[in-house]
Amino acid sequence: MSEENPFPPMRVELGRPNIARVYDWYLGGSTNWAIDRRFGQRVLRETPLVRAMAMSNRRFLHRVVRRLSKLGIDQFVDVGAGVPSPGNTHAIADEVDPGSRVVYIDHEPVAVAHLRMLLEEHGDLERHAVLQADLRDPGGLWKQVVGSGVLDPTRPIALLFLAVLHIRQEGPDGTDLTPQALHHYRELLPAGSYLAISHATDDGIGEPTREGVTKVKQMYDDWASKLTWRSKEETAALFGDFELLDPGMTWTSLWHPEDDAPSSPKVDFTDPSDSGCWAGVGRKT
């Protein structure tokens, strides 16, 4: 652990559920262990909507990448990308622009290893990269992104934080580092760049879904990773002075459904708030 990076590298943890591997299981992936599946099954018994929430967030990723690609963005940094699941960022970007460039970031070594295997088999190592870094260290993370040589840091970049910021990002003293980290990331992005965020919440959700997400949070806090729910206003604050694209802050299920594709996950909610995640995309002017 250096003075520049106060956060030690994460070791492979197989004795407790891992949030990235559990999420992969929700999405129907295979990069997970029995302990992750058992935990996911307990979560779904309490709140069956969680799998649909994960699918809705995945669909939001697809919509964001397609829309920004059509707006001319050809560089993406996916922070907290997790283990490979169907419909990864580079695959969606390549559908629109075969010359697009993507850097994946994760802190979990199993996720990083599997993402590298995916890119070696199905990617282009000149246009795609995987880095192990900690989002709580914006300067160190961005130094690695630039050092990869995949992206041009002087041109607009889409920075994605999807379903990751509600995993509590604590400093050595236990404080929540997310707001100050996002402030630093916004400063690092060149003009014309975009910031995309989806964030789990208990704000604006009707019963019984609200009761369900409260139980889910307690289960994750006890057995996997501590979570932090943010309100619509608190999530919007993470964009700072970036200009939000229409429709502004909304539920993942409502953000530009016209950008779905036949390959997008299929999920329907009785109420849009059942998606359980605020979502938005902002532009740096």
Side-chain angles (χ1 to χ4, degrees):
M1 180 167 54
S2 69
E3 292 183 1
E4 292 183 355
N5 181 10
F7 308 106
M10 181 181 286
R11 297 180 179 179
V12 177
E13 175 60 76
L14 299 179
R16 61 185 296 169
N18 175 270
I19 196 165
R21 300 193 306 258
V22 174
Y23 186 74
D24 171 69
W25 180 76
Y26 293 148
L27 294 175
S30 58
T31 313
N32 48 75
W33 276 263
I35 193 169
D36 307 309
R37 296 188 288 274
R38 286 196 297 268
F39 177 77
Q41 288 162 358
R42 290 199 299 270
V43 169
L44 294 185
R45 281 197 295 269
E46 287 287 348
T47 310
L49 270 175
V50 168
R51 172 162 278 158
M53 292 173 177
M55 292 289 187
S56 181
N57 185 75
R58 196 67 170 180
R59 188 164 62 176
F60 174 63
L61 165 67
H62 292 185
R63 294 170 177 178
V64 168
V65 173
R66 288 193 189 95
R67 176 154 292 261
L68 295 186
S69 295
K70 292 173 183 177
L71 291 175
I73 298 298
D74 60 0
Q75 303 190 110
F76 296 84
V77 177
D78 188 345
V79 182
V83 297
S85 300
N88 289 279
T89 300
H90 75 279
I92 303 303
D94 280 358
E95 290 177 1
V96 181
D97 180 357
S100 62
R101 294 174 174 266
V102 176
V103 175
Y104 292 104
I105 307 288
D106 210 281
H107 192 216
E108 209 274 331
V110 172
V112 172
H114 280 274
L115 281 165
R116 284 178 177 155
M117 290 172 59
L118 171 73
L119 293 184
E120 287 172 1
E121 294 181 12
H122 304 291
D124 179 344
L125 297 184
E126 293 186 0
R127 297 186 297 112
H128 307 137
V130 181
L131 305 173
Q132 184 175 14
D134 195 314
L135 72 82
R136 297 171 295 179
D137 179 24
L141 184 152
W142 208 250
K143 184 177 180 180
Q144 287 195 62
V145 169
V146 174
S148 72
V150 171
L151 306 185
D152 179 351
T154 67
R155 296 176 51 243
I157 294 169
L159 181 58
L160 314 179
F161 289 98
L162 305 189
V164 64
L165 296 179
H166 49 252
I167 305 169
R168 186 170 177 82
Q169 307 298 325
E170 292 186 347
D173 61 355
T175 58
D176 182 8
L177 298 184
T178 297
Q180 73 179 64
L182 266 290
H183 175 79
H184 197 171
Y185 284 115
R186 294 195 304 268
E187 291 183 328
L188 289 166
L189 285 170
S193 293
Y194 291 84
L195 173 64
I197 295 173
S198 63
H199 198 298
T201 187
D202 60 358
D203 169 45
I205 297 175
E207 298 292 352
T209 303
R210 182 184 176 92
E211 180 182 350
V213 298
T214 299
K215 291 179 180 178
V216 168
K217 182 181 184 303
Q218 189 62 57
M219 294 176 72
Y220 272 85
D221 287 351
D222 290 343
W223 297 103
S225 299
K226 291 183 179 179
L227 303 182
T228 296
W229 295 161
R230 285 184 171 85
S231 67
K232 182 178 183 179
E233 291 73 22
E234 290 168 333
T235 305
L238 298 176
F239 288 95
D241 62 357
F242 280 28
E243 180 183 357
L244 285 174
L245 302 186
D246 289 338
M249 290 299 302
T250 188
W251 302 108
T252 53
S253 58
L254 295 180
W255 201 88
H256 289 289
E258 69 274 17
D259 287 321
D260 276 337
S263 60
S264 295
K266 304 302 179 186
V267 57
D268 294 307
F269 297 105
T270 303
D271 186 303
S273 70
D274 286 343
S275 60
C277 270
W278 293 117
V281 178
R283 182 178 185 274
K284 184 173 183 176
T285 57

